[in-house]
Amino acid sequence: MLGIARVGVLDNFFALGGHSLSATRLLVRLRASFGTSLPLRCIFLEPTIRGLAKYIRYDAKARAYYYHGEPELRTCLVPAQPRGTRPPLFLAAGYTSPDDTLGVLSRIIPHLGSDQPVFGLKPRWVDGQPIYSSVEEEAAEYLAEIRAVQPTGPYLLGGYCISGVVVVEMARQLLEEGEQIGLLALIDTERPTKMRTFAANTSAGWERAKHSLGVLLDLVRFNDYGKRQAASDILRHKIRNILPSKRELSPAQFFYHSKVKYKRTVREYTVNRYPGRITLIVNEEHYGFDKYRGWRGLPGSTLLVKKAPGDHITVFTKHGKELARLLVDSIDESIQEYHRGDQFSEASAT
């Protein structure tokens, strides 16, 4: 799968250049070879040949292989890399597809080091469960699972895109409970304000309108039946998403409507104050014209801005190594401050 001549049974899949897409292809090959399916998280939990082999058993009587592992629990906590002696990093990093959290994390995990535990956080509705009524509810659910892994702080928290807003609320709730925040890292996260929410909604609406118009033009322009049918199918799908019928939604439609509602819920949340330091990592495309992403001047907080190469997408997909380096440096700084006895973000901070 990776185009490498020799692979040892203890070699790490991601350290050899693997990522979420190649991991998915690997699972397809494994299913074809053994006749059984492994969940994607297996590769993140056991990214070696010896580790993966533990999940496959052979039934001599049935003359068949089968998946042997713990049943997948519906949980928001994704143990992307659970081993290591350093303080764990909890990173909310995806909601656009069911496997998006693992997909995003797979780009940086190989570069964080094998001693750095990493746990992803994903909203429950990604797995078909009810959507949250508020950001506060989502943050509280995340914290309940985080504390099963790490009962007390200082906590290392990170969030990508709008998920960073949820992480800010998590940090706020922890501070109210008297805990310490060692790191609050926001990766390309905008502070939700009325003006920014209006601009984001307008931009998204314009992009949807342009695409729909293009599909309509294709529908009347193509003489080829196949192309016209494809354009018609796309348009029909869009209309079903916008105007769903009263009958039960398909999984794809449920996911789409949950995602739209989720974005709206997060953007309606207001961050008025944060008593501590925020490390803001901004891609170089936005750094030139929107360096602070709305977080400058937030009452009670100090802001540390770092520039990462790439744009909002390629900051992970093409520049995962550089982004990981920024995160490792930030974690190292927080650990050094802890050993020096410097002040962390805490409830008594001003």
Side-chain angles (χ1 to χ4, degrees):
M1 289 300 302
L2 299 178
I4 297 172
R6 294 180 60 84
V7 178
V9 294
L10 297 179
D11 288 343
N12 187 295
F13 176 78
F14 297 106
L16 294 176
H19 49 73
S20 59
L21 183 59
S22 55
T24 302
R25 291 198 295 262
L26 175 60
L27 292 179
V28 172
R29 294 280 291 275
L30 288 173
R31 183 168 61 248
S33 297
F34 296 100
T36 185
S37 297
L38 276 66
L40 182 61
R41 72 172 190 166
C42 284
I43 299 182
F44 288 85
L45 293 173
E46 298 286 356
T48 68
I49 292 174
R50 177 177 291 178
L52 280 175
K54 294 189 299 185
Y55 293 110
I56 302 175
R57 292 288 184 269
Y58 182 71
D59 186 336
K61 186 175 181 180
R63 295 184 179 182
Y65 292 95
Y66 64 95
Y67 167 64
H68 175 76
E70 294 296 326
E72 280 200 88
L73 300 176
R74 290 188 176 274
T75 173
C76 299
L77 198 64
V78 181
Q81 180 170 285
R83 296 179 178 84
T85 62
R86 288 161 63 87
L89 171 65
F90 299 96
L91 187 59
Y95 61 90
T96 58
S97 73
D99 290 325
D100 198 38
T101 295
L102 288 175
V104 169
L105 292 177
S106 71
R107 306 291 183 152
I108 62 171
I109 286 174
H111 311 296
L112 291 173
S114 59
D115 199 35
Q116 177 60 63
V118 183
F119 293 84
L121 296 164
K122 65 175 180 178
R124 68 189 181 202
W125 57 264
V126 168
D127 291 324
Q129 298 182 63
I131 196 167
Y132 303 101
S133 61
S134 66
V135 169
E136 290 85 350
E137 180 191 2
E138 181 179 2
E141 183 171 284
Y142 285 173
L143 289 178
E145 297 197 18
I146 283 176
R147 289 189 136 168
V149 175
Q150 183 185 350
T152 60
Y155 290 95
L156 306 179
L157 306 176
Y160 171 52
C161 193
I162 66 170
S163 296
V165 176
V166 182
V167 173
V168 173
E169 171 59 21
M170 290 167 59
R172 191 194 66 78
Q173 290 185 22
L174 285 169
L175 293 178
E176 281 193 348
E177 295 169 9
E179 292 289 353
Q180 292 181 323
I181 305 300
L183 175 67
L184 175 57
L186 306 182
I187 306 169
D188 273 357
T189 298
E190 279 191 278
R191 179 186 174 190
T193 63
K194 290 183 178 179
M195 183 64 70
R196 286 178 175 271
T197 297
F198 174 78
N201 291 339
T202 302
S203 176
W206 172 243
E207 291 300 322
R208 287 195 298 270
K210 282 199 303 182
H211 188 259
S212 298
L213 179 60
V215 172
L216 281 172
L217 291 175
D218 290 343
L219 191 61
V220 300
R221 183 174 58 202
F222 287 138
N223 293 321
D224 183 282
Y225 173 79
K227 293 182 178 179
R228 291 188 64 182
Q229 186 62 41
S232 178
D233 291 343
I234 292 173
L235 187 60
R236 190 179 299 111
H237 176 71
K238 283 181 172 292
I239 292 173
R240 280 201 304 264
N241 279 336
I242 296 172
L243 300 172
S245 64
K246 293 184 179 180
R247 66 178 184 272
E248 186 176 351
L249 296 175
S250 69
Q253 288 175 317
F254 176 82
F255 187 90
Y256 174 82
H257 286 285
S258 296
K259 182 170 65 174
V260 171
K261 186 177 179 181
Y262 179 69
K263 286 183 178 181
R264 187 182 306 120
T265 300
V266 174
R267 286 174 177 159
E268 289 174 352
Y269 175 79
T270 301
V271 184
N272 291 321
R273 177 180 175 80
Y274 178 71
R277 184 173 64 193
I278 297 174
T279 299
L280 179 65
I281 300 176
V282 182
N283 73 74
E284 61 184 350
E285 184 179 88
H286 282 97
Y287 192 88
F289 66 91
D290 191 15
K291 176 179 178 180
Y292 301 106
R293 308 296 276 156
W295 296 100
R296 188 181 187 184
L298 179 67
S301 69
T302 56
L303 186 65
L304 175 62
V305 183
K306 299 185 177 184
K307 180 169 67 173
D311 57 28
H312 186 65
I313 303 299
T314 61
V315 68
F316 273 98
T317 59
K318 292 185 178 180
H319 303 285
K321 183 176 182 179
E322 294 89 340
L323 177 60
R325 185 71 259 166
L326 291 173
L327 287 171
V328 169
D329 289 345
S330 299
I331 293 171
D332 288 343
E333 291 166 7
S334 72
I335 293 174
Q336 291 169 8
E337 290 176 357
Y338 177 73
H339 288 304
R340 287 199 309 263
D342 292 355
Q343 188 79 10
F344 280 99
S345 300
E346 56 185 29
S348 60
T350 58

